[in-house]
């Protein structure tokens, strides 16, 4: 899917570098690309257009119409937003931005336009079939105007329809319904007992224990709490009494909130609930009822739930800050101020939130993202020890906005981000919780670390083995992680380390161990792009493979000397003719260029992005095919001939597949020969 952003100043939906040069030519992708809904319109819309105000409100974000006010190379725009007009420099040729946006998106490889503007807010099952009718960005007339203006052809459209219809046929869409297994997958199948059990397992294993301290006056951490000792429990926060499944979820019949999960787990306890007049969007002070405050003072357990929901992040609407949304920080402070130290904070949020001001106000913190239909049951099971949390963070938990470069800055390295660095690979500050972090109710020891080879060619697979032992008093599992740190390379700013493997242990009883082996295919794991050479490399030298509990808690570090380089053998061959339909007698030279890709690629890729045939080596460098020995063949020479020089000649109506071969690697495409 091509998105709403621009890359190096070119909208993603019309970005030839990413969609054609990289995705198709370099990586060998043969499927189709659809736009994010409304993204084709970002080519011509202005960033300060009428849709900006809509985008600032989550209720109308789906109607946002802002864009990049772009025009392709050699063209200019009148900056008309919805009425944009593109003019070809030095000529009298002009075309509407809507027609141009369709044309350049199709030419670069966005084959399907998922419309967005004038889409209606409501249930998708009702509105999705109607969106193409109400949209103004995917009209047939725009395609016709683009073809008339000479900036698009039916051949380009055929090229994009080929993979789309191929996949639809492979999945059986055009077969009789009785032969389609998907038609038998109804809600009863989706909500089968086996699937609900899987949902529970996923929710249990997703929960991440971020903090587990001893409450004031206690001799051990708060969690897990023994259910038999909980007579009175207080649950606080609006999030605790609802189930947030996130965008693109289904609507399952079973939805268990945290409040319901605790009630089911503690059927004999007195459970007091109070939303505290809290929400993700409230700017008012929270307020706890007097009876709630009294219940908190004598409670055996207090559970506060906060997080994010559709009020602060949803389709087309992102959070603008890492701060706890709404009045949640004040809610936590108000609960803690009553004086009961036995507080568990449950945070269900889309990524990190700033917990700096409240971490000392609570004993324990559990985290998950939107955790499915049984999220409340999973949290209750973790709090009461039925499940030992084993989740680990898949992101860096930054302490606040000050640790983030501007959102419009895509750079990663410290030198390009005012010294900060981005992601665990480059981040230079101390986060609240590092990438890979996750605590447990038990403890684990890592021992007997070893590698299969101390010196190894880059083309091989390294195996790193070690033993994980449960040294605590409760059964539990953990996620062992393996990072690789590169040797220093003069003049190159490399990542501090990178995750090259991980493995979750089985649930280990106290005192039990498990032998773990992580296999690392070195080229895919360690390769980096070297712009000066125009290819990827694996830097030779001594790498350190770190067995770790998280990206910042290393258990063992094993040096391995890596030699050699990425073989310069051919990895992918692609075939992208300008048209797939020919008439008898018509010729097409496959060694030529595709005029519909001409001038679209960045300058350094221009000789690589618009040829009909490309070959790319394993190091992602392009092969100069000018004098390369290519082999050509056709499966139906009576329909289409191809000679040794790659010149195809249509013979008679029918369908034929042409194949090109170099060094044993092939690419094929069908041609249709129509009547004269």
């Amino acid at each position: 899917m091509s998105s709403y952003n621009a890359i190096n100043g070119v909208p993603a939906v019309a970005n030839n570098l990413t969609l054609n040069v990289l995705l198709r030519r370099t990586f060998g992708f043969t499927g189709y690309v659809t736009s994010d809904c409304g993204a084709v319109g970002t080519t011509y819309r202005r960033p300060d257009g009428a849709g900006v105000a809509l985008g600032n409100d989550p209720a109308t974000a789906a109607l946002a119409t802002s864009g990049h006010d772009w025009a392709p190379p050699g063209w200019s725009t009148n900056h008309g937003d919805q009425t944009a007009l593109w003019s070809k420099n030095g000529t009298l040729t002009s075309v509407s931005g809507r027609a141009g946006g369709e044309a350049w998106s199709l030419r670069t490889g966005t084959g399907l336009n998922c419309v967005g503007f004038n889409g209606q807010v409501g249930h998708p099952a009702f509105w999705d079939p109607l969106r193409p009718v109400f949209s103004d960005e995917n009209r047939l007339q725009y395609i016709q105007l683009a073809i008339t203006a000479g900036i698009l052809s039916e051949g380009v459209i055929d090229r994009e329809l080929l993979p789309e219809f191929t996949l639809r046929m492979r999945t059986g869409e055009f077969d009789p319904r009785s032969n389609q297994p998907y038609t038998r997958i109804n809600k009863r199948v989706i909500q089968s007992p086996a699937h609900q059990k899987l949902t529970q397992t996923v929710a249990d294993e997703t929960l991440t224990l971020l903090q587990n301290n001893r409450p004031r006056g206690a001799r051990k951490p708060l969690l897990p709490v023994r259910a038999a000792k909980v007579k009175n429990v207080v649950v606080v926060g609006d999030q605790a009494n609802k189930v947030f499944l996130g965008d693109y979820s289904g609507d399952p019949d079973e939805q268990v909130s945290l409040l319901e999960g605790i009630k089911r787990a503690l059927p004999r306890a007195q459970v007091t609930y109070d939303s505290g007049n809290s929400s993700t969007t409230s700017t008012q002070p929270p307020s706890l009822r007097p009876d709630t405050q009294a219940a908190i003072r004598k409670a055996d357990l207090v559970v506060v739930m906060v997080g994010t929901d559709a009020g602060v992040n949803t389709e087309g609407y992102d959070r603008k800050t890492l701060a706890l949304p709404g009045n949640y920080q004040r809610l936590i402070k108000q609960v803690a101020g009553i004086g009961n130290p036995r507080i568990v904070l449950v945070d269900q949020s889309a990524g990190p939130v700033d917990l700096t001001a409240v971490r000392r106000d609570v004993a324990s913190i559990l985290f998950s993202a939107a955790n499915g239909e049984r999220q409340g049951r999973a949290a209750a099971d973790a709090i009461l020890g039925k499940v030992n949390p084993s989740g680990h963070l898949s992101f860096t938990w930054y302490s606040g906005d000050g640790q983030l470069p501007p959102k419009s800055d895509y750079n990663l390295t410290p030198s390009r981000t005012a010294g900060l660095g981005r992601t665990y690979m480059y981040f230079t500050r101390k986060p609240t919780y590092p990438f890979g972090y996750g605590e447990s109710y038990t403890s684990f020891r890592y021992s007997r670390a070893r590698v299969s080879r101390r010196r190894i060619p880059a083309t091989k697979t390294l195996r790193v083995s070690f033993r994980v032992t449960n040294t605590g008093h409760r059964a539990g599992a953990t996620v062992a992680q393996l990072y690789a740190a590169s040797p220093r390379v003069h003049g190159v700013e490399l990542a501090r380390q990178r995750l090259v493997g991980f493995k979750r242990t089985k649930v280990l009883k106290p005192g039990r161990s498990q032998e773990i082996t992580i296999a690392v295919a070195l080229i895919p794991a360690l390769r980096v792009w070297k712009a000066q050479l125009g290819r990827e490399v694996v830097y030779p030298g001594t790498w350190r493979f770190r067995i770790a509990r998280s990206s910042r808690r290393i258990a063992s570090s094993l040096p391995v000397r890596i030699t050699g380089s990425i073989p310069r053998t051919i990895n992918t061959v692609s075939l992208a003719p300008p048209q797939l339909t020919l008439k008898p007698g018509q010729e097409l030279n496959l060694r030529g260029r595709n005029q519909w890709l001409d001038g679209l690629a960045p300058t350094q890729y221009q000789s690589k992005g618009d040829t009909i045939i490309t070959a790319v080596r394993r190091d992602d460098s392009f092969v100069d095919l000018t004098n390369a020995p290519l082999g050509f063949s056709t499966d139906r020479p009576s329909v289409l001939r191809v000679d040794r020089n790659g010149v195809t000649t249509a013979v008679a109506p029918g369908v034929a597949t042409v194949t090109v071969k170099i060094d044993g690697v092939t690419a094929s495409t069908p041609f249709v020969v129509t009547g004269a």
Side-chain angles (χ1 to χ4, degrees):
M1 175 174 278
S2 49
S3 190
Y4 305 105
N5 59 302
I7 304 163
N8 297 330
V10 181
V13 290
N15 197 295
N16 190 67
L17 172 61
T18 55
L19 295 174
N20 175 41
V21 175
L22 294 179
L23 181 64
R24 286 183 170 81
R25 305 302 185 105
T26 303
F27 304 148
F29 179 72
T30 58
Y32 68 89
V33 174
T34 183
S35 74
D36 214 332
C37 297
V40 170
T42 66
T43 54
Y44 54 84
R45 293 174 183 145
R46 289 170 47 173
D48 59 348
V52 174
L54 296 173
N56 288 331
D57 184 346
T60 58
L63 304 179
T65 59
S66 62
H68 304 291
D69 197 20
W70 178 79
W75 292 70
S76 301
T77 177
N78 68 348
H79 313 291
D81 197 55
Q82 289 293 90
T83 59
L85 188 71
W86 290 357
S87 300
K88 190 172 184 179
N89 298 340
T91 73
L92 298 178
T93 302
S94 63
V95 67
S96 72
R98 291 167 175 167
E102 291 280 11
W104 260 265
S105 296
L106 283 164
R107 286 170 62 176
T108 53
T110 297
L112 295 184
N113 179 355
C114 177
V115 298
F117 181 65
N118 282 348
Q120 305 297 312
V121 176
H123 196 284
F126 177 77
W127 285 114
D128 277 0
L130 300 180
R131 287 209 291 181
V133 178
F134 290 102
S135 172
D136 74 341
E137 68 180 30
N138 69 333
R139 303 293 192 193
L140 173 61
Q141 68 192 73
Y142 304 152
I143 299 294
Q144 294 169 329
L145 287 171
I147 292 175
T148 300
I151 59 174
L152 185 64
S153 72
E154 291 187 20
V156 172
I157 298 172
D158 289 342
R159 184 193 71 193
E160 294 303 321
L161 287 175
L162 176 62
E164 194 255 336
F165 271 89
T166 298
L167 288 175
R168 291 172 69 181
M169 290 177 181
R170 286 178 176 172
T171 54
E173 180 180 344
F174 304 107
D175 296 340
R177 287 183 62 83
S178 59
N179 294 343
Q180 297 178 19
Y182 306 108
T183 61
R184 295 187 288 275
I185 303 176
N186 53 30
K187 196 167 186 178
R188 182 183 303 173
V189 174
I190 295 171
Q191 297 188 153
S192 67
H195 289 169
Q196 289 182 324
K197 182 180 179 181
L198 177 60
T199 295
Q200 184 67 52
T201 299
V202 171
D204 288 342
E205 295 182 0
T206 296
L207 276 168
T208 303
L209 182 64
L210 298 179
Q211 176 177 301
N212 196 23
N213 296 332
R214 292 180 297 172
R216 185 178 62 253
R219 292 186 296 177
K220 61 181 182 179
L222 175 59
L223 298 182
V225 177
R226 290 183 59 186
K229 291 189 174 183
V230 179
K231 307 300 181 183
N232 295 283
V233 57
V234 179
V235 181
V236 176
D238 68 306
Q239 297 264 359
N241 196 30
K242 60 185 180 182
V243 174
F244 178 60
L245 298 173
D247 285 341
Y248 303 104
S249 67
D251 185 24
D253 292 338
E254 181 187 36
Q255 298 187 30
V256 183
S257 68
L258 175 62
L259 177 61
E260 180 62 25
I262 288 177
K263 286 182 176 180
R264 292 184 187 182
L266 298 170
R268 297 183 180 180
Q270 176 66 42
V271 179
T272 301
Y273 170 70
D274 191 343
S275 72
N277 291 321
S278 64
S279 76
T280 58
T281 58
S282 176
T283 58
Q284 300 299 314
S287 58
L288 297 172
R289 301 189 309 267
D291 66 297
T292 302
Q293 298 181 43
I296 289 174
R297 291 187 181 95
K298 65 177 183 179
D300 302 304
L301 177 66
V302 180
V303 182
V304 181
M305 185 169 179
V306 299
T308 62
D309 59 18
V312 290
N313 53 240
T314 184
E315 174 70 17
Y317 186 78
D318 299 324
R319 284 189 287 156
K320 295 176 174 58
T321 175
L322 294 183
L324 268 172
N327 55 4
Y328 287 150
Q329 180 171 311
R330 287 180 288 178
L331 177 69
I332 298 168
K333 291 287 186 182
Q334 188 174 128
V335 172
I338 295 173
N340 189 331
R342 298 176 62 81
I343 302 174
V344 177
L345 178 64
V346 177
D347 170 36
Q348 183 172 273
S349 59
V353 291
D354 187 353
L355 299 177
T356 306
V358 298
R359 289 173 64 192
R360 294 185 178 181
D361 295 316
V362 300
S364 303
I365 303 175
L366 281 167
F367 164 78
S368 77
N371 207 17
E373 62 188 66
R374 291 189 174 182
Q375 55 191 245
R377 180 172 166 181
D381 286 348
I383 290 170
L384 298 173
K386 185 176 180 180
V387 170
N388 189 343
S390 59
H392 288 251
L393 294 178
S394 59
F395 55 85
T396 298
W397 194 296
Y398 301 102
S399 64
D401 297 343
Q403 292 191 339
L404 292 174
K407 189 175 291 188
S408 58
D409 179 359
Y410 291 102
N411 288 299
L412 295 175
T413 60
S415 66
R416 303 289 296 276
T417 53
L420 288 173
R422 185 181 257 122
T423 79
Y424 76 95
M425 295 190 294
Y426 294 95
F427 190 54
T428 60
R429 305 296 195 264
K430 182 180 180 180
T432 301
Y433 304 109
F435 177 91
Y437 180 84
E439 295 188 10
S440 172
Y441 297 153
T442 189
S443 56
F444 298 93
R445 182 179 69 243
Y446 292 74
S447 61
R448 298 186 61 186
R450 57 204 183 276
V451 292
S452 56
R453 298 174 67 173
R454 291 287 184 176
R455 182 183 178 93
I456 186 172
T459 54
K460 300 297 183 180
T461 295
L462 179 73
R463 288 174 173 79
V464 181
S465 303
F466 50 93
R467 174 178 290 180
V468 179
T469 303
N470 184 343
T471 56
H473 302 288
R474 299 183 67 90
T478 190
V479 178
Q481 300 156 50
L482 181 64
Y483 297 85
S486 68
R488 290 188 177 183
V489 179
H490 179 71
V492 181
E493 195 171 15
L494 295 172
R496 299 170 59 180
Q497 61 183 356
R498 62 181 66 188
L499 182 70
V500 294
F502 62 92
K503 185 169 289 188
R504 175 187 165 84
T505 69
K506 60 186 178 182
V507 176
L508 299 173
K509 294 180 179 180
R512 302 304 295 268
S513 301
Q514 181 178 347
E515 294 292 330
I516 300 290
T517 295
I518 297 176
V520 182
L522 296 177
I523 288 177
L526 307 182
R527 62 194 299 162
V528 294
W529 180 255
K530 190 168 185 177
Q532 300 93 321
L533 298 178
R535 58 187 172 92
E536 295 209 327
V537 300
V538 172
Y539 286 107
T542 300
W543 288 70
R544 304 198 72 86
F545 288 83
R546 299 168 173 172
I547 301 164
R549 295 174 170 86
S550 75
S551 61
R552 299 209 175 188
R553 290 188 64 193
I554 310 301
S556 296
S557 182
L558 304 171
V560 176
R561 185 162 186 81
I562 296 177
T563 62
S565 59
I566 303 175
R568 306 207 71 198
T569 53
I570 292 175
N571 187 48
T572 61
V573 175
S574 59
L575 186 55
Q579 62 192 85
L580 300 178
T581 302
L582 301 172
K583 294 181 179 180
Q586 189 174 356
E587 293 185 347
L588 176 65
N589 186 356
L590 297 180
R591 280 186 173 270
R593 296 187 178 278
N594 183 334
Q595 69 266 33
W596 300 108
L597 297 174
D598 185 37
L600 300 184
T603 303
Q604 67 268 36
Y605 292 101
Q606 191 54 64
S607 63
K608 304 161 186 173
D610 61 6
T611 54
I612 295 174
I613 302 171
T614 55
V616 178
R617 302 181 182 92
R618 288 184 65 186
D619 61 6
D620 289 352
S621 63
F622 280 71
V623 179
D624 183 354
L625 297 178
T626 304
N627 298 308
L630 303 179
F632 298 93
S633 62
T634 174
D635 66 340
R636 297 186 68 190
S638 61
V639 174
L640 188 74
R641 294 196 305 266
V642 57
D643 65 20
R644 59 188 299 179
N645 297 315
V647 177
T648 61
T649 303
V651 178
V655 178
T657 297
V658 171
T659 299
V660 59
K661 184 176 183 179
I662 177 172
D663 290 352
V665 184
T666 63
S668 301
T669 192
F671 284 91
V672 176
V673 179
T674 62

